[in-house]
Structure formats: C-alpha cells, structure tokens
Amino acid sequence: MASEVAGLDAGLYHFAPEVFGLEALAAGDHRPALADATADPDVAASPLALVVTGLPWRTAWKYAERGWRHVYWDAGTG
C-alpha cells in the first residue's frame, strides 16, 4: 500500500514473483482503511505500509502441525 512514494502511484499493490515486481490491485489511498483496521491512526500518515499475508492451510498441507510456525517465521515473527 503506497501513497507518497516517488515513482509509484497511490494504491494497493501485490508482489508478483513471476515478474518479480509490483502489480496494482486497486488505485487510490487506502491508508485510512488500514489505519481503522489496525486501530493505529499513525498508519494513515505513513507513506508506505507493508502487509504480509500467509495461507496457513497451504503451509499445513506441507508441514502439518509445524505449518503455523512456518507462516510466522516467513513473516519475520515467531
């Protein structure tokens, strides 16, 4: 999610590994919605927000019970 980043239009983006780049998902400034969802008003003022997501069921398919830990590790938490 970007708004005030040089060379990048305001919008919601997805990292596409097949092209190793960003693909636009939705145009416009979505920071207020993210600030509401996180209950953090400072998010609305940041020029960029990185939201990391995971698919626990896909990870669990490969790693069974350890799958949840792998999702958190991939996100840099744990």
Side-chain angles (χ1 to χ4, degrees), residues 24-45:
L25 297 177
D29 186 0
H30 299 276
R31 294 176 302 169
L34 184 60
D36 287 344
T38 60
D40 185 354
D42 293 335
V43 171

Side-chain angles (χ1 to χ4, degrees), residues 6 10 24 29 44 48 52 61 63 66 71 73:
D29 186 0
L48 177 76
V52 179
W61 171 80
Y63 297 107
R66 297 176 302 149
V71 170
W73 289 331

Side-chain angles (χ1 to χ4, degrees), residues 2 4 16 20 22 30 33 43 46 54 68-69 72 74:
E4 301 166 8
F20 202 74
L22 296 177
H30 299 276
V43 171
S46 23
W68 287 101
R69 282 183 278 172
Y72 294 126
D74 288 347

